[in-house]
Amino acid sequence: MIIKDKMKLEEKCSPVSISEGEEIGVRLLHELREADNGIGLAANQIGINKRVCVVNVKEPLVLINPKIVEKSKEKFVFPEGCLSFPNDKVKTIRHESIVVEADNHEGKLSFSANSKNIDDAFECVCVQHEIDHLDGITMFEREFKSEPLVRGINAPKKIGRNEKVTITKGTESKVLKYKKAEPMLEDGWVLSNI
Ligand SMILES: [Zn+2]
């Protein structure tokens, strides 16, 4: 049974022993296989408030007491879903790469969306999404809100006419020169490299 109650999902999970974490990991992978289109699940989504989550994009991965120990300054926008909120899609902003430590993995695990393989982006986002769950954070809190383009002294950064920018609209994204992108911003596209 997957918890769909946002209030319950806002509680932080507590650390767990490796042996208990492994048992929870097996249950999570089982639940994830039963779920349609699921690529990750955190223990609190099935009512266990312990720090265990699983990700299954390229291969099944169990993370016990995971911690993000490094994160890139670069961020990117990604359309996300969640098994607890099957009817919602949120355009979130996530770190382009992260390094994770977990009690059941020796050494560090690196995830990066900066790759030609789209699965790398899914995996990188999914790990951030699941670790967030363990901290009581849902994807709604990571929503990318495009700020209106500010001109003049308040502008966070001046963008050159020939500078390449990334713009997104829904699940589409394009990289093009700012002078070409600017008129499209009035048409629902948003700048996504911030
Ligand atoms: Zn989720």
Side-chain angles (χ1 to χ4, degrees):
M1 257 295 279
I2 293 182
I3 306 263
K4 294 179 177 163
D5 178 338
K6 192 163 184 290
M7 287 272 279
K8 280 200 180 132
L9 290 169
E10 283 169 355
E11 285 168 31
K12 268 196 166 198
C13 297
S14 359
V16 67
S17 68
I18 293 183
S19 58
E20 195 187 345
E22 277 168 350
E23 277 170 37
I24 296 170
V26 170
R27 284 184 58 184
L28 286 171
L29 285 174
H30 176 76
E31 288 280 348
L32 188 57
R33 277 186 205 108
E34 305 275 294
D36 277 344
N37 295 320
I39 59 170
L41 194 61
N44 48 341
Q45 286 181 278
I46 58 166
I48 305 170
N49 271 29
K50 297 287 170 74
R51 299 190 73 81
V52 185
C53 60
V54 295
V55 169
N56 191 0
V57 176
K58 294 195 277 188
E59 54 181 355
L61 184 65
V62 176
L63 298 170
I64 300 174
N65 302 322
K67 251 193 274 169
I68 296 179
V69 292
E70 281 173 49
K71 46 196 173 196
S72 63
K73 262 199 262 148
E74 294 75 27
K75 293 183 177 182
F76 71 117
V77 175
F78 203 80
E80 271 181 52
C82 178
L83 289 172
S84 290
F85 308 101
N87 302 320
D88 292 303
K89 274 262 179 259
V90 177
K91 205 158 56 171
T92 58
I93 180 135
R94 297 286 184 187
H95 296 282
E96 196 177 272
S97 47
I98 52 165
V99 177
V100 171
E101 281 177 4
D103 287 354
N104 59 326
H105 292 272
E106 271 188 41
K108 295 176 177 184
L109 303 162
S110 296
F111 303 94
S112 176
N114 195 358
S115 146
K116 288 205 172 100
N117 184 353
I118 187 73
D119 281 350
D120 289 327
F122 273 103
E123 194 174 49
C124 183
V125 168
C126 190
V127 170
Q128 294 178 68
H129 177 119
E130 301 314 328
I131 294 178
D132 268 353
H133 269 308
L134 304 180
D135 289 321
I137 296 168
T138 62
M139 62 180 182
F140 303 103
E141 286 170 66
R142 302 293 188 193
E143 187 174 3
F144 172 68
K145 298 199 178 80
S146 59
E147 301 200 350
L149 212 55
V150 191
R151 290 183 178 80
I153 53 163
N154 292 326
K157 179 186 165 215
K158 275 219 164 134
I159 305 172
R161 305 251 316 134
N162 286 314
E163 193 175 324
K164 286 254 178 86
V165 293
T166 307
I167 55 170
T168 59
K169 185 180 183 182
T171 55
E172 269 183 275
S173 66
K174 290 179 195 285
V175 178
L176 69 183
K177 286 186 177 170
Y178 182 60
K179 62 184 173 193
K180 292 235 173 83
E182 196 181 15
M184 296 169 75
L185 298 175
E186 264 127 60
D187 191 30
W189 288 83
V190 291
L191 276 174
S192 74
N193 48 349
I194 55 169

